[in-house]
Amino acid sequence: MSDRDDGAVFRIGFTVLDRQIVDAEGANVAKVDDVEFTWTSGEPPAMTALVGDTAALGPRIAGRLGGFWETVLARLRPPDEEPTRIPVGDVERFVPATVLSTPAPRGMRPLEDWLGRRVLARIPGGRR
């Protein structure tokens, strides 16, 4: 990813959030659910990681539905596992989709993995 010093505005809400993440092998892996920033004293904030995991979605949903979502995901994934973070350095480009220069991180799709193991694998022919 290259730094833009031409003064152009980079709108995170439009350019990054809710965009499809495609890994280096061309597989759709998730959507960007959140963005992490770091602040260094005397410098502007820097975007350091993308969070592309269904676990990041729960806190963004207000009310009981958000709490329900977080409860369901807590049962589907190990308790010590954090949402999957993708370093911004692994991003090749953002538009129209967020394309990574690396393969997708392991554990990127916990809900889909759980459904595959617990539901689809039990259907005759579902393990193909």
Side-chain angles (χ1 to χ4, degrees):
M1 186 180 85
S2 62
D3 294 331
R4 295 182 69 165
D5 292 330
D6 59 1
V9 176
F10 185 79
R11 296 181 182 183
I12 291 173
F14 179 74
T15 309
V16 179
L17 290 174
D18 296 326
R19 296 290 181 154
Q20 184 68 46
I21 299 173
V22 180
D23 71 358
E25 298 160 357
N28 293 336
V29 294
K31 294 227 181 204
V32 179
D33 291 314
D34 206 353
V35 179
E36 288 185 353
F37 288 90
T38 57
W39 281 267
T40 305
S41 182
E43 295 182 17
M47 183 171 52
T48 54
L50 306 176
V51 181
D53 191 347
T54 50
L57 189 58
R60 289 180 51 193
I61 301 173
R64 291 183 182 202
L65 181 59
F68 172 74
W69 186 256
E70 289 183 65
T71 302
V72 168
L73 283 177
R75 297 188 68 141
L76 297 178
R77 68 184 318 146
D80 59 340
E81 190 172 313
E82 293 287 321
T84 307
R85 289 168 174 77
I86 301 169
V88 174
D90 289 351
V91 176
E92 188 173 309
R93 66 177 184 272
F94 280 107
V95 177
T98 301
V99 179
L100 303 178
S101 59
T102 60
R106 187 175 170 276
M108 189 71 189
R109 303 178 338 189
L111 184 59
E112 292 87 349
D113 294 342
W114 183 88
L115 286 171
R117 284 190 320 270
R118 306 289 178 152
V119 179
L120 298 177
R122 295 179 182 197
I123 298 172
R127 293 182 188 222
R128 294 183 192 171

